[in-house]
Amino acid sequence: MKSVLHDFWTWSRKRKIVDSVPEMPSITFQLGFRKTIDKETQQTIIDEVNRCSYSINPKIWIGVKWLATYISIRPGKLIRILEGDFDLKNKMVLIPDPKEKRPEYVPLLDEDIEIIKTFPPAIPSIPFFRHPKGVCGATEGEAFGPRLLYKWWKIAGTNLDIGDVDLYGGTRHSSAKALRHAFSPDQIKRATMHSTNKAFERYFSMELDDVRNIYAGTKAPDKADTNLTPKSGSTKKPNIIKLHN
C-alpha cells in the first residue's frame, strides 16, 4: 500500500499536479510463519487428493502434485498454464505472466512428461487446468478457479484428520524445507527461481538439468528406503573395515 501511494504521488508530481512527494511513513513489520509438514505427510495428503478427486478430474491431483514438486511455481501461475506452454521435446513448461515480466522456464520430470502425454492433444490457447464435461457447477473447458486446488487439499487433509495446514505451506514450503537435507541454500534458491533467469539464458541446457535434479528431490522417499537399518533377526551382517597401524 505504501508503494502504491508513493507511485501515485510521484505520478502526480510528474503531471505537475503537486510540487513534491510527501514523505512516506516508516513501517515496521514481522513476517509470519507458515505451518509445514514432512514429506511423508505431504505425500499422504497428495495420495488422498488422488483418491477422492481423480474420478472427477485427474488434473486436480496433478495440480497439487506439481505444486509440491516444482517449488518455483505458485498456485496462481500454475492454473494459468495453457496447453501451448508445454515443450515436451525439451521437457519444460513456459510459465505465463511471470512476476518478473519475462519468460520463466521450468524443467519437467520425465514422469510428468508421461502424464501430460496421456491427455489428448488440445488447442494451444486453452487452459491445461480446466473442467471436463459433466462437472456440477462448472462449465466445460472453464479454467480452474483460484481456490479449487486449495479446496481439495483441505478436503484431503480433513479426511485424514491432519491438522490445519494450507496448500502453499503444505506443498511449496514443505518441499523447500525438506530439500535442505540434500541441497545447499543456494541450490534451493535456484530451484525456486527467484533470480536465475539470466543463468537460464546463458547456460540453458545445463541449468535445466541441474534444477530438474533438485525437483526430483522433492519426491517422498520410497517406503523401502525409509529405514536403512537391518530389521531384528536379519541375517545380513554389516561390512567391517579393519584398520592396521
Side-chain angles (χ1 to χ4, degrees):
M1 292 173 65
K2 174 182 172 181
S3 177
V4 171
L5 287 171
H6 184 272
D7 288 346
F8 168 75
W9 285 105
T10 301
W11 173 84
S12 299
R13 184 186 61 185
K14 290 180 179 179
R15 299 273 296 181
K16 300 187 183 305
I17 299 173
V18 297
D19 296 329
S20 62
V21 176
E23 183 177 350
M24 294 290 107
S26 177
I27 300 174
T28 59
F29 62 93
Q30 183 177 357
L31 292 175
F33 291 90
R34 287 182 181 271
K35 184 176 181 180
T36 58
I37 50 180
D38 59 46
K39 289 300 295 181
E40 289 185 357
T41 302
Q42 182 192 76
Q43 188 59 52
T44 300
I45 298 176
I46 294 174
D47 290 343
E48 177 63 14
V49 171
N50 181 305
R51 187 195 68 79
C52 61
S53 71
Y54 198 91
S55 60
I56 299 173
N57 187 349
K59 291 184 179 179
I60 296 171
W61 162 71
I62 293 172
V64 174
K65 175 181 182 293
W66 285 3
L67 289 176
T69 302
Y70 306 107
I71 56 177
S72 65
I73 307 179
R74 298 173 182 271
K77 291 182 179 181
L78 182 78
I79 61 175
R80 291 201 298 269
I81 292 175
L82 304 178
E83 290 280 355
D85 291 329
F86 292 104
D87 183 348
L88 300 186
K89 181 178 179 181
N90 292 307
K91 298 191 291 186
M92 65 181 187
V93 61
L94 173 65
I95 302 301
D97 302 323
K99 189 167 92 172
E100 295 79 10
K101 305 299 182 183
R102 57 176 177 251
E104 181 179 320
Y105 300 97
V106 175
L108 299 174
L109 300 179
D110 289 339
E111 64 183 64
D112 291 320
I113 294 292
E114 294 306 313
I115 289 176
I116 296 169
K117 289 179 179 179
T118 63
F119 296 99
I123 299 172
S125 60
I126 65 175
F128 176 77
F129 291 98
R130 61 186 184 276
H131 293 286
K133 183 178 180 180
V135 176
C136 181
T139 303
E140 181 182 3
E142 181 183 8
F144 282 8
R147 294 185 60 83
L148 182 70
L149 298 181
Y150 180 90
K151 167 190 169 183
W152 283 99
W153 172 269
K154 297 297 288 185
I155 289 174
T158 300
N159 291 348
L160 297 169
D161 196 24
I162 292 176
D164 186 29
V165 56
D166 65 13
L167 175 67
Y168 199 71
T171 54
R172 189 175 192 257
H173 280 244
S174 294
S175 291
K177 182 179 178 180
L179 286 171
R180 293 184 301 177
H181 300 295
F183 299 94
S184 69
D186 183 63
Q187 288 176 307
I188 297 172
K189 182 179 179 181
R190 288 166 58 200
T192 60
M193 295 189 182
H194 286 305
S195 58
T196 59
N197 283 317
K198 289 185 179 179
F200 266 61
E201 295 168 4
R202 291 184 57 196
Y203 309 109
F204 195 73
S205 297
M206 183 175 66
E207 289 294 325
L208 283 177
D209 287 340
D210 288 345
V211 175
R212 188 177 288 112
N213 288 335
I214 295 174
Y215 287 158
T218 62
K219 296 172 59 180
D222 294 335
K223 292 183 179 179
D225 295 333
T226 56
N227 185 3
L228 300 180
T229 58
K231 294 182 179 179
S232 177
S234 173
T235 58
K236 186 176 180 180
K237 297 181 178 179
N239 294 325
I240 300 176
I241 301 176
K242 295 183 178 180
L243 301 178
H244 301 279
N245 293 333

